[in-house]
Amino acid sequence: METVLLFVLGVLIIVVGLVVSIGLHELGHFTFAKLFKVRVGQFMIGFGPTLWSRRRGETEYGVKAIPLGGYISMAGMFPPAKRGDEPRDGRPGATFAQPEHARPSTTGLFNVLVQDARDASADTILVGEEERVFYRLVWWKRVIIMLAGPAMNLVLAIVFAAILVCGLGLPVPSTTIADVGSGTPAAAGGLRADDRVVEIDGTDVTSYTQMTALIRAHAGRQMSVVVDRDGSRETLQVTPEARRVQVSDRWGTPSTDWLGQPVLTRAGFLGIGNYTTIQRQDLGSAFAYLGSDIQGIVKIVVTLPARVTQTVQSTIEGKKRDSSGPISLVGIGEIAGQVAASDSPILNRTVAMVSVLAQLNVALFVFNMVPLLPLDGGHVVGAVWEAVRRRFAAWFKRPDPGPVDMAKLVPLTLLVTGVLALMSLALIVVDIVNPIIIS
């Protein structure tokens, strides 16, 4: 019973962390939208049916049933359509909400979707507040509004990384051997569990990273290993086997390429496992840790369709999940539950939970920076393209082309949304059927 309660507690911690992270993300958008006088009609956490809402001033604040995202509703996200050969008017006095008889006739699904988006945008603009719209802002203000959300997640990730690395400490492999594989070069050389490696070929060994570097450099060559065994020193002659082994980072995490395949190199292999210890590190290490997380998640996001396909295929074939592959929020909750219910020391479990929260915010930051609508990065690209287009028009003394018609990208937005929904559903099914089991 206690294990079940701890598992539920771990899941709840992640759910609360996710809701807070999403809320602060939307607060970043909201704060700068208000600062730049844009009317914000809604501030919502989640999607689907509304569980609770309250209106304060012009904004309705609420929580919805599915805590998988959030949004704020800003007035005038899309400019009005052109009328004939007239340029799209972005100046004061432009007509926004067109009467039905004045709207351009639309045929075909593409045009209907675009016009529906424009109509929905026009409906958010109140009479007398035509200036308080998103698309009329100067381009750099729109960029700031859209970047403010991901920036909040990045700040949260930095805070969690600093707490983790500088306050709690990271699990770091030590130079003390935990186990020796049967029939391995280590066993043949006389190494035993609980031996602490103190010297290799006359070089004092003070860290796991240094020890593994020396072992790998002696591929196929005998080396002298001095170990501390029960308080006394023993000198052993060991010959690492030359193998293709997976590269690891400074924290012992196995490295993969952009497609999730192991990065291999020729190196010496002994066949030992090492104990880990929790060690606090400096702030520079916190940023290095965060950078490693960002790099790993960027790899996953860039190759997401291929990685999701590989994950689904592995599940169909009955193979074990790649722990460094893509995972849904359901899977993240499962991992958090496993961590909370494990018999590890409380410090180790706390470290793991804070690490999950840091990685969750890194994922929210990276994912929202993808330059596709409806993600924040798509709006940033649109604003920057508008600035470039207007600058070129000014250089060549051409008429101002006006705002970029982002409404024309609505069909692409729906396609992207649909693909993301399908991939999310596939990962949720995989996380239920073939979850990642932490050791």
Side-chain angles (χ1 to χ4, degrees):
M1 188 61 171
E2 181 182 356
T3 300
V4 174
L5 291 176
L6 287 172
F7 185 94
V8 172
L9 176 62
V11 174
L12 286 176
I13 289 173
I14 293 304
V15 170
V16 172
L18 174 64
V19 170
V20 170
S21 297
I22 291 172
L24 290 175
H25 176 105
E26 298 305 328
L27 182 62
H29 293 313
F30 178 81
T31 300
F32 283 94
K34 286 288 193 179
L35 180 65
F36 297 141
K37 310 300 182 184
V38 177
R39 181 178 178 274
V40 181
Q42 287 185 313
F43 183 118
M44 291 290 171
I45 305 299
F47 298 105
T50 301
L51 299 178
W52 171 88
S53 70
R54 178 171 296 177
R55 180 170 293 279
R56 291 187 179 276
E58 66 184 16
T59 306
E60 178 190 8
Y61 302 86
V63 177
K64 292 183 174 287
I66 307 173
L68 298 180
Y71 65 91
I72 65 169
S73 175
M74 291 183 285
M77 290 298 294
F78 301 124
K82 288 183 178 181
R83 296 184 178 181
D85 293 330
E86 295 179 12
R88 187 174 293 102
D89 197 349
R91 298 168 298 171
T95 301
F96 296 90
Q98 305 176 47
E100 292 294 335
H101 68 273
R103 293 177 183 172
S105 61
T106 57
T107 58
L109 179 61
F110 180 92
N111 290 332
V112 170
L113 291 173
V114 172
Q115 189 57 43
D116 284 349
R118 290 196 182 110
D119 291 345
S121 176
D123 290 342
T124 63
I125 305 171
L126 301 183
V127 175
E129 295 192 352
E130 291 86 357
E131 299 304 311
R132 299 185 61 198
V133 295
F134 178 76
Y135 87 83
R136 278 192 173 185
L137 292 176
V138 66
W139 71 274
W140 58 266
K141 289 185 178 181
R142 278 177 283 158
V143 169
I144 289 175
I145 290 174
M146 300 318 298
L147 288 182
M152 289 293 279
N153 292 123
L154 181 59
V155 169
L156 278 174
I158 292 172
V159 170
F160 282 127
I163 292 172
L164 177 64
V165 177
C166 306
L168 298 172
L170 286 177
V172 177
S174 70
T175 60
T176 301
I177 299 171
D179 57 81
V180 177
S182 177
T184 61
L191 288 170
R192 301 177 188 172
D194 296 324
D195 283 349
R196 181 170 64 88
V197 178
V198 295
E199 184 181 303
I200 294 178
D201 270 0
T203 301
D204 291 337
V205 173
T206 58
S207 69
Y208 173 82
T209 302
Q210 181 191 24
M211 182 185 76
T212 54
L214 289 168
I215 293 171
R216 293 187 172 199
H218 284 80
R221 295 188 295 115
Q222 187 181 76
M223 62 184 187
S224 175
V225 179
V226 178
V227 299
D228 184 315
R229 178 177 296 169
D230 297 328
S232 61
R233 293 200 170 194
E234 300 281 343
T235 301
L236 307 171
Q237 301 301 316
V238 185
T239 304
E241 178 184 338
R243 281 192 180 185
R244 298 284 290 175
V245 299
Q246 189 169 4
V247 176
S248 298
D249 64 18
R250 61 188 292 186
W251 296 284
T253 304
S255 300
T256 58
D257 62 18
W258 289 93
L259 292 178
Q261 300 302 311
V263 178
L264 303 177
T265 185
R266 183 180 184 275
F269 169 80
L270 280 185
I272 59 175
N274 292 71
Y275 289 110
T276 60
T277 59
I278 303 296
Q279 294 181 4
R280 295 178 182 177
Q281 301 180 40
D282 58 23
L283 188 59
S285 295
F287 281 102
Y289 174 84
L290 187 64
S292 178
D293 270 356
I294 291 175
Q295 183 181 32
I297 292 176
V298 166
K299 286 181 180 180
I300 291 176
V301 170
V302 169
T303 59
L304 190 58
R307 300 288 288 273
V308 171
T309 301
Q310 289 175 356
T311 301
V312 172
Q313 185 176 355
S314 296
T315 299
I316 293 173
E317 295 174 352
K319 296 179 180 178
K320 185 179 179 181
R321 285 280 297 278
D322 177 8
S323 60
S324 64
I327 186 173
S328 72
L329 291 174
V330 171
I332 293 173
E334 290 176 338
I335 289 176
Q338 292 178 50
V339 169
S342 71
D343 57 2
S344 299
I346 187 65
L347 176 59
N348 294 60
R349 283 183 278 175
T350 303
V351 165
M353 295 297 285
V354 174
S355 176
V356 170
L357 290 172
Q359 292 175 347
L360 180 62
N361 276 278
V362 169
L364 288 171
F365 166 71
V366 172
F367 190 71
N368 277 283
M369 291 303 296
V370 173
L372 291 172
L373 291 176
L375 303 172
D376 299 331
H379 290 285
V380 170
V381 170
V384 172
W385 172 240
E386 178 182 312
V388 171
R389 197 172 65 157
R390 281 180 152 163
R391 176 62 62 185
F392 271 97
W395 283 346
F396 293 101
K397 302 189 184 302
R398 295 175 181 172
D400 184 351
V404 171
D405 190 5
M406 298 294 284
K408 289 183 178 180
L409 296 178
V410 166
L412 176 61
T413 301
L414 294 176
L415 176 63
V416 172
T417 302
V419 170
L420 291 176
L422 286 175
M423 289 193 294
S424 297
L425 180 60
L427 287 175
I428 288 173
V429 172
V430 169
D431 285 329
I432 294 173
V433 176
N434 185 22
I436 293 175
I437 305 299
I438 62 174
S439 55

